[in-house]
Amino acid sequence: MTLTGDYHTHTVYSHGKGSVFDNARRAKEIGLGEIAISDHGFAQMAFGLRRRQLPQLIEDCRAAGRETGIPVYVGIEANICGESGKTDLGEQDYDNFDVFLAGMHRFVRFERWRDAWNLLAKNYADCALRLRPGASLIRSNTRAYIRCIQKNPLDAVTHLNFLCFCDVAEVAKAARDYGTYIELNSKKVHLTDEELARVADTGVRFIVGSDAHTPDRIGDTKLVDEQLARIGFPRERIDNIDGRKPHFRFRAFKEGR
């Protein structure tokens, strides 16, 4: 599988190993048409993008685009900060960004202690102890994902269900209805084959993201390729391969303001 664009890549602005220029040069080298730099959001306490770094990130992306001749978008992998669906990318930040991704992460400043308990502690405990998540936890996680999709002009949900158990089909239905993509993440297993089949059955559309934390992984789709081959997944439902470019919701929202 060859990506048209890789919209989920990290740099030293969060906890990636390469620079914006390293990622952009690698994208150009392997024939990608565009790339987004989507470092972790502001509420990520351990290794998120800091606001004081934002002007330099923007300048780096613009300069890397000029150097390579391909679009280098200023993106973000925002954090879902509560069951309310709030993320750490507020509307006051929108003009600074081109691509808006969001997912569930650890080490985040959550809205409330209750959110930290439900979205972090309970999920972490169940993962660590390999417990089957309870129905109430699944409902809480599912609400957080769905409200995030409903309340934000979100381009894609990243690594759905990774360390955060939810009803994947219900989240996918919301994404389908609001024009948000479900990311197929090629760095980590986040959906079982059965779960991915359920998500596909909703009619939602997909993008593939490398989630690269080193420049050599830009454009990497190996993990996704292997899973799609197992379940006979319809490639025409993926909008950043075979020359196709996604119709991103965030861009349309900003143009329509």
Side-chain angles (χ1 to χ4, degrees), residues 139-180:
R139 285 195 298 270
S140 177
N141 294 338
T142 302
R143 279 194 296 269
Y145 275 121
I146 290 175
R147 289 171 178 170
C148 180
I149 292 166
Q150 292 172 335
K151 293 183 176 182
N152 301 278
L154 190 62
D155 289 326
V157 175
T158 59
H159 46 69
L160 176 65
N161 218 41
F162 181 70
L163 303 179
C164 185
F165 309 100
C166 68
D167 185 327
V168 295
E170 289 304 309
V171 176
K173 289 174 186 176
R176 174 199 65 199
D177 293 345
Y178 281 83
T180 292

Side-chain angles (χ1 to χ4, degrees), residues 31-184:
L32 298 189
E34 54 189 20
I35 187 173
I37 306 301
S38 45
D39 281 303
H40 290 284
F42 304 118
Q44 169 56 258
M45 295 181 289
F47 37 72
L49 175 68
R50 301 298 173 235
R51 289 187 182 278
R52 66 180 183 275
Q53 299 173 308
L54 186 54
Q56 188 60 56
L57 170 63
I58 294 170
E59 176 53 33
D60 285 355
C61 289
R62 302 297 180 248
R66 292 191 295 269
E67 177 188 305
T68 60
I70 65 172
V72 180
Y73 298 121
V74 183
I76 194 166
E77 187 185 13
N79 300 288
I80 300 174
C81 297
E83 198 173 319
S84 70
K86 180 182 177 181
T87 76
D88 52 357
L89 187 71
E91 191 159 0
Q92 71 275 10
D93 301 307
Y94 285 1
D95 287 342
N96 290 319
F97 290 90
D98 306 310
V99 175
F100 185 2
L101 315 178
M104 293 284 194
H105 300 95
R106 299 175 184 174
F107 312 121
V108 168
R109 287 189 300 274
F110 288 95
E111 272 193 287
R112 305 171 299 170
W113 284 107
R114 178 180 174 181
D115 294 317
W117 176 251
N118 285 336
L119 300 180
L120 174 62
K122 285 187 177 181
N123 284 297
Y124 181 79
D126 284 358
C127 289
L129 299 174
R130 300 191 178 185
L131 299 177
R132 183 170 182 172
S136 63
L137 178 60
I138 290 174
R139 285 195 298 270
S140 177
N141 294 338
T142 302
R143 279 194 296 269
Y145 275 121
I146 290 175
R147 289 171 178 170
C148 180
I149 292 166
Q150 292 172 335
K151 293 183 176 182
N152 301 278
L154 190 62
D155 289 326
V157 175
T158 59
H159 46 69
L160 176 65
N161 218 41
F162 181 70
L163 303 179
C164 185
F165 309 100
C166 68
D167 185 327
V168 295
E170 289 304 309
V171 176
K173 289 174 186 176
R176 174 199 65 199
D177 293 345
Y178 281 83
T180 292
Y181 288 100
I182 297 296
E183 179 202 53
L184 300 176

Side-chain angles (χ1 to χ4, degrees), residues 1 3 14 18 44 55 64 67 69 71 93 96 113 143 164 176 185 192 197 199-200 219 225 228 240 243 250 252-253:
M1 181 188 301
L3 300 186
S14 58
Q44 169 56 258
E67 177 188 305
D93 301 307
N96 290 319
W113 284 107
R143 279 194 296 269
C164 185
R176 174 199 65 199
N185 188 289
T192 66
V199 170
D225 288 334
L228 299 192
N240 65 326
F250 186 51
F253 172 83

